[in-house]
C-alpha cells in the first residue's frame, strides 16, 4: 500500500536541501504533499517542490481550494508521516506551545500521523535553553527528531545546527514510515557475520560468512518494532538504522561474552553468526616466519555459544539457530537442534545455487523439536528473516 508523507518546509537556508529529500522520498515510492511557509518561499520556489512531488504545493491558509474540503484537515488525515524539514527554532517553538497560525502548524496539530522534526539553525540558537526545552517537550509528546550535525554553518559559525544529510533523513523516514508495533516490547538479540581467530599479528582464521542473513533479520525486527541488539563479527555491511545497540566483536570468545551479557533480558536470540569452532592455542606475538618444513598450528575448541545459552535459557525465552551444511543437511541440523536446546533451527545446503554465503537469497528448512519440518524454496533473505521472526514471535506469545 502506497504511503503518504506530508513535508512541511519552513524558512531556513537549508530549505534547498528539502528539495533533495522530496526527490529521494518520491523515488522510494512514497506519495508526497508539500506545505511551505511564507518565509520558506523566499528561499525556494513552490514550483520546484510541485515539480518534484507531482502535487500542488500548499502555501496559503486562505487560498481558494481546488475542491471543497478543509485542506489542513484533509492533509492531516491522509498523512502516514508528517515531517518538517528544515525546522527552524521559530516553528519548533510554535508547535511546542500550541500555536497554529499557518498551514504547517495547523496541519501538524490536526494529524495523528507519526511526526518528525528535522532542525536546522545557528548553533547558538540550537543550544539556547528555550529551544532545547521546546525540543524535549515535543519528544515527550512522541515527536521524532532527526538531530542536526556539527559543521560549518551558512552564517560562518561552526557547531551543531547543520541539517542532517538528505540521504540519512530519507533512510530514517523510510524506517519510521514502515515500522509497525507487531513486536513492540520484545527484545531481539541477533548475532551475524564471521568471527576472526588471530594466529599472529598478520594472519588469522575466519570463514566465508558475509553477515547478510543476520543483518536482514536485525533490519526486519526493527521494522516490526522490536528492540534490537546486533552483535556482529567481520562484515562489510552497514548496520541497520534503528538498532538499540550495535556491538562489534572479533573473536568467538568476544562474541560469547557479549551474547552472555545481553541474554539475561533477551526475549528472542537468533544465532545467525558463523562462529569459528576452533582457535589457535597460542597467539604468536611476532609474525611467524616462512620455514622450509611444514607449519603445524595447534588449535583448541571455542565455546559453543548456542549450547551455552541453551543451558541458561528460561521458559520465556526463544532461541533460534542456523545449520549451514554441505552434506547430510537435515541430519546434522537435527543433531544441533537437540544438543543446543533450540526452539527451532534454520538449515540450508551451501551447495545449492542461491543459498548460503554472499547471496541476497536463501533456500531453507525450519526444523522443530517435535520433528516437524517446514521447507521453503528460494526467497530473498529479507523474506526468510520475516518468516523466522514471525515463527519465533508466535512461539514466544504462546508461552505468555
Amino acid at each position: 500500500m502506497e504511503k503518504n508523507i506530508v513535508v512541511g518546509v519552513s524558512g531556513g537556508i537549508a530549505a534547498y536541501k528539502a528539495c533533495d529529500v522530496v526527490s529521494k522520498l518520491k523515488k522510494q515510492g512514497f506519495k508526497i504533499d508539500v506545505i511551505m511557509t511564507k518565509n520558506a518561499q523566499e528561499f525556494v520556489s513552490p514550483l520546484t517542490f510541485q515539480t518534484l512531488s507531482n502535487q500542488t504545493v500548499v502555501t496559503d491558509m486562505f487560498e481558494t481550494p481546488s475542491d471543497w474540503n478543509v485542506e489542513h484537515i484533509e492533509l492531516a488525515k491522509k498523512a502516514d508521516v508528517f515531517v518538517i524539514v528544515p525546522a527552524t527554532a521559530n516553528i519548533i517553538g510554535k508547535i511546542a506551545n500550541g500555536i497554529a497560525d499557518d498551514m504547517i502548524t495547523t496541519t501538524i496539530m490536526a494529524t495523528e500521523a507519526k511526526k518528525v522534526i528535522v532542525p536546522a539553525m545557528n548553533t547558538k540558537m540550537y543550544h539556547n535553553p528555550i529551544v532545547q526545552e521546546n525540543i524535549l517537550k515535543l519528544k515527550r509528546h512522541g515527536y521524532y527528531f532527526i538531530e542536526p550535525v556539527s559543521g560549518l554553518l551558512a552564517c560562518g559559525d561552526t557547531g551543531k545546527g547543520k541539517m542532517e544529510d538528505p540521504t540519512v533523513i530519507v533512510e530514517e523516514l523510510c524506517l519510521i514510515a514502515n515500522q509497525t508495533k507487531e513486536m513492540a516490547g520484545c527484545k531481539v538479540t541477533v548475532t551475524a557475520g564471521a568471527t576472526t581467530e588471530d594466529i599472529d599479528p598478520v594472519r588469522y582464521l575466519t570463514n566465508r560468512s558475509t553477515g547478510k542473513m543476520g543483518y536482514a533479520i536485525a533490519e526486519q525486527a526493527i521494522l516490526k518494532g522490536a528492540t534490537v541488539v546486533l552483535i556482529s563479527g567481520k562484515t562489510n555491511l552497514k548496520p541497520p538504522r534503528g538498532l538499540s545497540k550495535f556491538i562489534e566483536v572479533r573473536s568467538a570468545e568476544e562474541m560469547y561474552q557479549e551474547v552472555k551479557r545481553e541474554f539475561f533480558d533477551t526475549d528472542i536470540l537468533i544465532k545467525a553468526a558463523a562462529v569459528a569452532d576452533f582457535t589457535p592455542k597460542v597467539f604468536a606475538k611476532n609474525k611467524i616466519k616462512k620455514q622450509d618444513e611444514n607449519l603445524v598450528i595447534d588449535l583448541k575448541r571455542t565455546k559453543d555459544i548456542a549450547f551455552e545459552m541453551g543451558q541458561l535459557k528460561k521458559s520465556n525465552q526463544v532461541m533460534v539457530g542456523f545449520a549451514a551444511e554441505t552434506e547430510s543437511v537435515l541430519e546434522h541440523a537435527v543433531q544441533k537442534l537437540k544438543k543446543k536446546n533450540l526452539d527451532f533451527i534454520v538449515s540450508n545446503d551451501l551447495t545449492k545455487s542461491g543459498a548460503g554465503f554472499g547471496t541476497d537469497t536463501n533456500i531453507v528448512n525450519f526444523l522443530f523439536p517435535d520433528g516437524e519440518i517446514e521447507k521453503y524454496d528460494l526467497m530473498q533473505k529479507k523474506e526468510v528473516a520475516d518468516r523466522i521472526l514471525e515463527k519465533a514471535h508466535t512461539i514466544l506469545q504462546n508461552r505468555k
Side-chain angles (χ1 to χ4, degrees):
M1 179 178 163
E2 187 180 50
K3 294 198 172 183
N4 185 276
I5 296 182
V6 175
V7 179
V9 185
S10 67
I13 186 61
Y16 77 94
K17 293 183 181 179
C19 300
D20 197 16
V21 172
V22 169
S23 176
K24 283 179 164 60
L25 286 172
K26 192 72 178 172
K27 289 174 183 175
Q28 289 291 327
F30 293 102
K31 185 177 180 184
I32 309 296
D33 287 287
V34 179
I35 306 172
M36 299 181 71
T37 64
K38 183 178 179 182
N39 288 343
Q41 295 168 62
E42 298 294 326
F43 295 94
V44 182
S45 156
L47 180 60
T48 302
F49 285 108
Q50 183 174 309
T51 304
L52 293 170
S53 67
N54 301 127
Q55 293 283 107
T56 302
V57 176
V58 179
T59 58
D60 188 349
M61 282 185 69
F62 301 106
E63 65 186 356
T64 304
S66 55
D67 51 33
W68 185 247
N69 57 54
V70 182
E71 192 154 25
H72 70 283
I73 300 299
E74 190 69 20
L75 285 172
K77 285 180 178 178
K78 71 191 292 191
D80 293 294
V81 176
F82 194 120
V83 57
I84 301 179
V85 53
T88 60
N90 177 60
I91 205 156
I92 290 171
K94 287 201 290 187
I95 297 167
N97 290 281
I99 298 170
D101 62 353
D102 58 27
M103 275 299 290
I104 290 181
T105 51
T106 53
T107 307
I108 204 166
M109 295 289 180
T111 191
E112 293 181 346
K114 298 172 181 177
K115 295 174 274 287
V116 185
I117 306 290
V118 187
M121 65 193 78
N122 171 269
T123 187
K124 292 182 176 62
M125 291 179 70
Y126 180 72
H127 289 294
N128 185 291
I130 296 172
V131 173
Q132 289 300 309
E133 284 175 15
N134 288 333
I135 289 172
L136 287 173
K137 184 176 181 180
L138 290 174
K139 285 181 177 178
R140 286 195 298 268
H141 285 290
Y143 284 69
Y144 298 86
F145 274 76
I146 300 176
E147 301 290 342
V149 295
S150 294
L152 179 64
L153 306 176
C155 60
D157 289 347
T158 300
K160 190 171 183 179
K162 183 183 179 73
M163 193 178 98
E164 181 58 277
D165 183 86
T167 299
V168 175
I169 293 168
V170 170
E171 287 177 356
E172 195 76 27
L173 290 173
C174 287
L175 172 60
I176 292 168
N178 293 313
Q179 194 169 42
T180 70
K181 295 183 178 180
E182 184 181 337
M183 295 180 69
C186 178
K187 177 180 174 180
V188 178
T189 299
V190 182
T191 68
T195 62
T196 301
E197 310 302 321
D198 291 320
I199 298 171
D200 64 19
V202 177
R203 305 175 182 90
Y204 54 81
L205 301 173
T206 190
N207 57 67
R208 297 178 186 275
S209 174
T210 60
K212 285 187 174 184
M213 189 69 250
Y215 275 57
I217 293 168
E219 185 175 347
Q220 295 307 110
I222 293 166
L223 288 174
K224 292 177 183 293
T227 299
V228 182
V229 175
L230 177 58
I231 303 172
S232 178
K234 179 175 65 69
T235 76
N236 292 317
L237 302 174
K238 182 180 176 183
R241 297 193 69 80
L243 287 169
S244 171
K245 195 183 295 184
F246 178 66
I247 304 169
E248 288 184 274
V249 298
R250 184 171 177 80
S251 67
E253 178 61 25
E254 288 176 8
M255 183 167 282
Y256 166 73
Q257 294 297 339
E258 294 298 341
V259 171
K260 187 177 179 181
R261 189 173 290 113
E262 294 296 328
F263 189 60
F264 77 97
D265 64 347
T266 288
D267 296 297
I268 298 172
L269 172 63
I270 302 177
K271 288 285 290 87
V275 182
D277 295 323
F278 296 92
T279 189
K281 277 187 178 181
V282 178
F283 171 72
K285 292 182 180 179
N286 296 309
K287 179 184 175 184
I288 299 171
K289 297 300 181 183
K290 187 187 295 184
Q291 301 172 0
D292 291 335
E293 64 268 20
N294 292 333
L295 174 67
V296 176
I297 299 174
D298 288 330
L299 302 177
K300 63 180 180 180
R301 279 298 310 264
T302 59
K303 284 192 178 72
D304 186 330
I305 301 173
F307 174 80
E308 297 290 339
M309 297 307 109
Q311 305 310 300
L312 299 174
K313 187 178 76 168
K314 301 171 187 172
S315 60
N316 62 344
Q317 291 178 301
V318 173
M319 272 183 57
V320 182
F322 276 75
E325 303 289 347
T326 58
E327 60 179 353
S328 304
V329 176
L330 295 182
E331 291 85 347
H332 289 313
V334 168
Q335 291 171 11
K336 289 183 178 181
L337 174 68
K338 293 177 179 177
K339 178 183 177 182
K340 300 171 193 284
N341 192 26
L342 301 171
D343 292 281
F344 67 96
I345 193 165
V346 182
S347 75
N348 61 332
D349 185 342
L350 298 179
T351 65
K352 288 185 177 180
S353 177
F357 301 136
T359 67
D360 292 322
T361 58
N362 215 341
I363 303 167
V364 299
N365 299 313
F366 293 179
L367 287 77
F368 299 87
D370 62 3
E372 181 187 356
I373 300 176
E374 294 181 3
K375 296 186 176 184
Y376 296 96
D377 294 327
L378 186 71
M379 292 191 293
Q380 292 292 312
K381 284 185 173 174
K382 286 188 177 182
E383 294 178 81
V384 176
D386 260 338
R387 301 291 176 93
I388 292 169
L389 290 164
E390 286 166 7
K391 185 64 66 174
H393 192 234
T394 298
I395 294 170
L396 182 69
Q397 293 297 104
N398 288 339
R399 290 179 180 171
K400 291 184 176 179

